[in-house]
Structures are given as structure tokens and as C-alpha cells.
Amino acid sequence: AMLLERADAVATWANLCGPEDPAEAKKHHELSIRAIFGASLHANAVHASASVSAARRDAGVMFPPVGSPSKSGGDAVCAAVKARKVVPKEGGGGRLCEVVVVVAMGSLLEDDEHASVIEGLVSDDFRVVNCRTAALNTTQAETLGALFGHRDASKALPLRDGPCLMVAAERDSGVSRLQAAMGRSGGTLYRPGGAGGLASLGQKYKGCLWASETAGQALKQAAYCFDALFESTFTVTQG
């Protein structure tokens, strides 16, 4: 369970979740969480509080005791507010954890393969840390394309012609592991007969699956996709 907060949190989370019945979600909100992961009305992947009062009640059940409401007045809460505690990591050693970004679009989404992108990342031991879908305008599509090294505006056409899926994930040596998962050599070319998962998706849907190629590039992509592009990021306050 997680406690999320942002402005207009209840309505925004309900929209991300989609209709309660996954069958309805697949018809009317195909990129919603329940459309992708829901199995039935009683196993519909996620819970969404129906109102602010219901959210506070739900939070009281999941995260007792409930603290006092936020004094900032800037955020509505999906459930309720508890005091946040920042726990620094002990020691300076360990593996280098890198964030990467993958963007799927065009025929890959039209063929309902968006879940395969996430499955491909998870199967290679990535942890998905953010995920959202969006329909971009021309300026947004070209800006995102440039961040992935596509200066030719025609490369961004799939982004402008329909929705896209943006996924941020992390693991140790994330960029090099992502390049290997994509079946690339030298960060640019697919190896002939690359392995399954992301590699096969990239080969089948040419130009419809973009992936970070350097750590610096990945940080800029993540900042644009999940901060600059949308001012709608949830903050996990308890989980």
C-alpha cells in the first residue's frame, strides 16, 4: 500500500486507475492501470478512494495512526497525511544505481504491447519507479525526440500521431544493462537475432521504442518526462 499526495489527488488518481470494471476500462480507457493490469471487477489491480473523506478513512485503516492534515495547504491527499521521515542510506559503498527512461509509441501501442515493455524491464531486474501515458503536441514531441538524440523532426512523428508510454526504471549499471536488454552493440545498433524481450520489441517496432543511451541523457529525459512535461507528479508519503 502507498500513500500519495498532490493537488486534486483523488480525481487524478481515479483517472489514472480508470473504471472499476477492467472490461469497461479496456473499452473506454485502454491505457489506464485497470485496463492494463485488471483481471475482473473483484481483481481490478488497484484501489481508488471515491472522495477526499473516503481517502482519509482508507488511510486511517492502512496507515494508523493518522497524523494531522498538511499545513501547507498546497496538496490534497489521496488518503491522509502522516509525518514524513527521511532516512539517509548508511555507508557510501554499494553498486551504482542508474535511472533509465524508455518511451514506447506508435504501432507498438496500437498492437497493445505496452505491458510487454514493462515486463521486459522487470525481467532484466529493473525496478519501475515512474510510468505514465500522454498525448504530446508537436513542440513536446520534438523536444522529447531531441533529448533522445533524434534531431530530425520526422523521427518524432509517432509521438504526435497518438499516445505514448513513458517509463522510468532503475538498477545497478542501468544504462549499460538497458542497452544489453535492447540487444544493442555500442549503444546504437541492434545485434542480429537479438534476444527476446525489449530486443525483439525494438526489432519488430522500428522507431517506436526509444531508450536512454547515456546516464546524463537519462537524467535529462526523466526530468522532462516526469517533471517539466507534466506538473502532475504524485509524491509517495507512505508506503
Side-chain angles (χ1 to χ4, degrees), residues 149-207:
H150 300 305
R151 302 294 178 181
D152 185 348
S154 64
K155 298 287 187 180
L157 282 176
L159 281 177
R160 303 203 305 264
D161 292 342
C164 66
L165 170 69
M166 295 170 285
V167 182
E170 65 179 13
R171 65 157 291 173
D172 57 296
S173 304
V175 173
S176 61
R177 292 302 308 170
L178 179 61
Q179 291 300 304
M182 293 288 292
R184 292 179 176 176
S185 173
T188 56
L189 300 176
Y190 290 107
R191 290 198 302 269
L198 294 177
S200 61
L201 285 175
Q203 291 173 345
K204 181 178 180 180
Y205 299 100
K206 293 288 187 180

Side-chain angles (χ1 to χ4, degrees), residues 2 12 28 38 68 138 209:
M2 293 187 298
T12 302
H28 306 295
S68 58
T138 299
L209 187 63

Side-chain angles (χ1 to χ4, degrees), residues 14-238:
N15 183 58
L16 287 172
C17 291
E20 289 188 2
D21 187 342
E24 288 298 310
K26 288 179 171 64
K27 292 179 182 177
H28 306 295
H29 200 340
E30 62 180 9
L31 295 179
S32 66
I33 295 173
R34 286 168 175 152
I36 297 172
F37 299 107
S40 68
L41 184 60
H42 300 291
N44 62 358
V46 290
H47 170 70
S49 302
S51 65
V52 173
S53 60
R56 293 190 181 279
R57 183 191 65 237
D58 294 342
V61 174
M62 298 301 297
F63 301 102
V66 178
S68 58
S70 171
K71 296 180 180 179
S72 67
D75 288 330
V77 185
C78 270
V81 177
K82 287 185 67 178
R84 306 181 194 182
K85 183 178 180 181
V86 178
V87 181
K89 293 182 179 179
E90 297 181 0
R95 299 175 297 178
L96 177 61
C97 189
E98 292 179 332
V99 173
V100 297
V101 177
V102 174
V103 177
M105 68 202 84
S107 56
L108 192 153
L109 294 189
E110 292 171 6
D111 289 352
D112 206 30
E113 289 282 8
H114 43 277
S116 298
V117 175
I118 297 176
E119 290 169 359
L121 287 167
V122 172
S123 69
D124 204 52
D125 296 327
F126 280 93
R127 184 173 72 92
V128 175
V129 295
N130 212 333
C131 179
R132 66 171 17 127
T133 58
L136 308 184
N137 61 34
T138 299
T139 299
Q140 293 169 336
E142 292 180 354
T143 300
L144 184 56
L147 289 173
F148 277 87
H150 300 305
R151 302 294 178 181
D152 185 348
S154 64
K155 298 287 187 180
L157 282 176
L159 281 177
R160 303 203 305 264
D161 292 342
C164 66
L165 170 69
M166 295 170 285
V167 182
E170 65 179 13
R171 65 157 291 173
D172 57 296
S173 304
V175 173
S176 61
R177 292 302 308 170
L178 179 61
Q179 291 300 304
M182 293 288 292
R184 292 179 176 176
S185 173
T188 56
L189 300 176
Y190 290 107
R191 290 198 302 269
L198 294 177
S200 61
L201 285 175
Q203 291 173 345
K204 181 178 180 180
Y205 299 100
K206 293 288 187 180
C208 293
L209 187 63
W210 296 353
S212 303
E213 295 184 353
T214 68
Q217 185 189 63
L219 292 176
K220 292 178 181 178
Q221 293 159 353
Y224 186 72
C225 289
F226 303 105
D227 289 321
L229 189 57
F230 305 99
E231 296 181 355
S232 60
T233 305
F234 278 100
T235 301
V236 178
T237 60
Q238 187 74 20

